[in-house]
Amino acid sequence: KNSTKPSFYIPAPQFYLCEHCQRLTIDVTANRTSQRLDCCGRTMKHLLAQTPDDAHHLTLTIRGGFESNSLGVTVGHSAHPMTLQHHIAWMYLYTFQGGQLKFMVPGEESTAMFALADKDAYVYCDRAECKGRDCKFNCKRGFCVWVYCNQHGLWHYSL
């Protein structure tokens, strides 16, 4: 089994939102041009990510073992608001083998659990100290998380 850091299968995603119907489009094409995506007869808004702030800080929890594990993502030092007027609408985890999208529900917690398997699971490390090249595991580095707050827009985190 391979425990080295794999290459990404697809390029980092670009996110587009229709401001009329709220349709989300995720573009993972390799040869992007200055394309324009349309929905509802209008140009979709290209969401540009911001850097994290205290309200949109992420707490990560890794659970599991070598062949299967999960990554929990919680938004905010204290719980991010999850009211109908102000909430986390979705989270996207970009992994080596692709990506996962989780939609959030107002009234519930601002937490999502992403399952990791195959090559994504093999980059698990539960040691207190990194042993570098002598270690048979690599850390969960290289993943990215995007979080969309309906009031403050898109936030990007590199793990």
Side-chain angles (χ1 to χ4, degrees), residues 101-123:
L101 176 67
K102 299 277 184 158
F103 288 99
M104 312 303 289
V105 178
E108 294 186 3
E109 292 183 19
S110 58
T111 299
M113 188 64 66
F114 296 94
L116 301 174
D118 298 326
K119 290 182 182 177
D120 292 334
Y122 296 143
V123 292

Side-chain angles (χ1 to χ4, degrees), residues 71-92:
L71 177 66
V73 179
T74 302
V75 180
H77 283 295
S78 57
H80 186 280
M82 288 299 285
T83 65
L84 192 56
Q85 298 78 21
H86 184 193
H87 62 275
I88 300 299
W90 51 265
M91 293 185 206
Y92 184 89

